[in-house]
Amino acid sequence: MTPLATKPASDTVTGLLRDISSVGTDPRRGGYSRPVFSHAETELRSWFIEQAGRRGLDITNDNNGIVWAWWDTATRIRKDAVVTGSHLDSVPGGGEYDGPLGVASALVAVDVLKARGIRPRRPLAIAVFPEEEGSRFGVACLGSRLLTGALDPDKARKLKDADGNTYADVAAANGQDPRFIGADPETLQQLGMFVELHVEQGRGLVDLDQPVAIGSSILGHGRWKLSVNGQGNHAGTTLMKDRRDPMIAAAKIMIGIRDTARNYRDARATVGRLQPVPGGTNVIASRVDLWIDVRHPRDEVTAALVESIHLNAQVIAAEENCTVTFGVESLSPTVHFDTGLRDQLQKMLPDAPVLDTGAGHDAGVLAGHIPTAMLFVRNPTGVSHSPEELVEDHDAEAGALALADALAGLLGEARHLG
């Protein structure tokens, strides 16, 4: 990798991340909470647009809320572009690097390419995708799913956040016309390939003692909503024998989910969110909603595990005189990144190992339409979606250099300015 010259802090990955380190801090949970269309997330998008503009990139916003920053060729024809980037939204109480690391690294990679005197004959774009985490409207990679037609726009418009606000209303309030969301073949036709850099969400690179890895695949994963319906009642006047308490059934169901997942090798099943209705301390809930995240490398195993969870939940609910409703909110099959593109990256980054990931990404959604690849940057804690997520400064800069090297090779016929 070419050494990065000493630069002002704002022109390094760590400097750029430091610039936004106060945006969206969460004093209650710790870490950052930057849901889509929040003040924090829109502030970060404005920051990105400003930074891209400083680098002479041309900014466009598409109908699905994706921000594109273009480094055009002399012809200004946007076709067969090399694209990089990531997202700026976060999970509730998330870490500093999940999403923004890829965006900041893309900006620095452009600086490196320009410092090398490279003028690409193939356009380069940085993309910032909205609602990658799905933390507000429940559908992960919402922007890329809309772009590719993987999500029905009518369904998207009706999605609701925890406060009951629809995606359509929130989008409109933030200057995006929800009437025009949906599949965008014209934009897709401009893209030739996509390389997403991301913080590693595990400990593979720590154990391998390497700063950067190349992605091989993404585990199949999905989100399901399970509602346990019982009888709301008074906590003080309802005898224990007379109760139809969905909270008790929900507690047993969650333990059953853990135990069921343990029966499937390499499976992951998580209940990360539970919401009783109406949620009063002295009230027996009438309903409890659970959101379940299930992942496995083989899609047929994911389906079997989910079916087992559903059947087990029905039995447990019946034992408490309750019922369940169950439905999928999002589902992504296992993705194997383009082998040709991966081989190219391995030639350009010969020291980088190849690793898979259990986390979903916009690169996985785009993989069904254009060649995609991923680079992972070492996370010494192995912890992600948490304030303990970490990237050391020297690894962050190494990641940007690796991305710049990869982009330089992928831009194809490029010439150096003399």
Side-chain angles (χ1 to χ4, degrees):
M1 299 176 192
T2 304
L4 183 63
T6 301
K7 294 186 175 186
S10 61
D11 290 336
T12 63
V13 177
T14 52
L16 288 169
L17 293 177
R18 194 176 302 119
D19 288 344
I20 60 174
S21 62
S22 64
V23 180
T25 55
D26 191 324
R28 181 170 68 88
R29 301 181 180 94
Y32 295 87
S33 293
R34 298 162 167 169
V36 70
F37 295 129
S38 66
H39 177 75
E41 194 256 0
T42 54
E43 184 176 346
L44 291 183
R45 276 195 272 174
S46 296
W47 163 83
F48 169 73
I49 290 169
E50 178 188 5
Q51 289 293 333
R54 287 181 182 180
R55 289 160 172 81
L57 306 182
D58 184 53
I59 309 299
T60 62
N61 293 270
D62 70 17
N63 291 332
N64 294 309
I66 304 169
V67 183
W68 304 87
W70 289 90
W71 183 2
D72 287 309
T73 63
T75 66
R76 298 188 65 82
I77 297 174
R78 293 174 179 172
K79 185 178 181 181
D80 199 29
V82 176
V83 184
T84 187
S86 193
H87 62 97
L88 293 169
D89 64 301
S90 77
V91 298
E96 181 179 0
Y97 302 93
D98 186 349
L101 179 69
V103 175
S105 298
L107 291 167
V108 171
V110 168
D111 292 339
V112 172
L113 294 177
K114 289 191 173 186
R116 293 178 185 174
I118 292 177
R119 179 184 295 169
R121 293 183 178 176
R122 184 178 183 180
L124 174 68
I126 303 174
V128 175
F129 293 93
E131 185 70 331
E132 192 270 355
E133 299 291 3
S135 61
R136 182 162 188 178
F137 293 102
V139 177
C141 301
L142 182 65
S144 55
R145 287 180 189 274
L146 286 169
L147 168 68
T148 59
L151 178 63
D152 185 324
D154 287 333
K155 179 180 178 181
R157 282 186 279 265
K158 295 173 184 177
L159 292 171
K160 292 184 179 180
D161 64 14
D163 296 322
N165 303 305
T166 67
Y167 176 87
D169 289 341
V170 176
N174 284 271
Q176 180 184 333
D177 194 329
R179 294 176 299 173
F180 302 123
I181 64 172
D184 187 352
E186 291 184 4
T187 295
L188 275 176
Q189 287 172 4
Q190 296 178 324
L191 316 181
M193 60 182 63
F194 179 60
V195 180
E196 181 174 2
L197 180 144
H198 203 278
V199 59
E200 186 192 14
Q201 296 171 292
R203 287 187 50 83
L205 283 167
V206 174
D207 297 335
L208 293 170
D209 194 28
Q210 290 289 334
V212 179
I214 298 168
S216 60
S217 61
I218 296 175
L219 270 64
H221 59 282
R223 299 181 183 185
W224 288 262
K225 181 180 179 182
L226 188 150
S227 296
V228 188
N229 304 285
Q231 175 63 64
N233 215 328
H234 194 292
T237 63
T238 310
L239 298 177
M240 300 303 289
K241 67 181 180 64
D242 295 331
R243 299 187 177 202
R244 296 172 52 212
D245 189 344
M247 187 67 82
I248 301 301
K252 294 180 179 179
I253 288 169
M254 285 191 289
I255 294 172
I257 290 170
R258 179 201 63 184
D259 294 343
T260 301
R262 285 177 172 175
N263 294 327
Y264 294 83
R265 184 178 179 180
D266 295 327
R268 289 91 151 150
T270 306
V271 177
R273 180 180 166 202
L274 179 146
Q275 184 173 318
V277 178
T281 303
N282 60 345
V283 178
I284 300 168
S286 59
R287 187 182 82 245
V288 178
D289 296 328
L290 297 80
W291 284 265
I292 310 166
D293 183 298
V294 179
R295 306 178 187 229
H296 192 275
R298 293 169 52 197
D299 298 333
E300 64 272 22
V301 175
T302 301
L305 173 53
V306 170
E307 180 64 16
S308 294
I309 289 172
H310 184 197
L311 293 174
N312 191 44
Q314 289 177 311
V315 172
I316 292 172
E319 291 172 351
E320 298 296 330
N321 292 316
C322 296
T323 60
V324 298
T325 56
F326 190 76
V328 63
E329 291 205 329
S330 65
L331 180 61
S332 299
T334 292
V335 172
H336 297 279
F337 292 121
D338 185 84
T339 53
L341 180 53
R342 188 179 69 209
D343 290 345
Q344 285 182 274
L345 292 179
Q346 287 184 278
K347 290 178 181 178
M348 292 177 277
L349 307 171
D351 295 330
V354 178
L355 297 175
D356 64 12
T357 180
H361 301 281
D362 291 302
V365 176
L366 292 174
H369 301 267
I370 59 173
T372 63
M374 292 195 71
L375 299 178
F376 299 121
V377 178
R378 177 166 50 195
N379 176 356
T381 68
V383 175
S384 189
H385 282 186
S386 165
E388 284 75 39
E389 181 179 85
L390 181 64
V391 173
E392 301 284 358
D393 290 355
H394 54 86
D395 284 346
E397 307 310 329
L401 286 172
L403 179 62
D405 288 340
L407 295 176
L410 295 173
L411 286 170
E413 297 181 5
R415 59 186 175 88
H416 291 69
L417 301 177

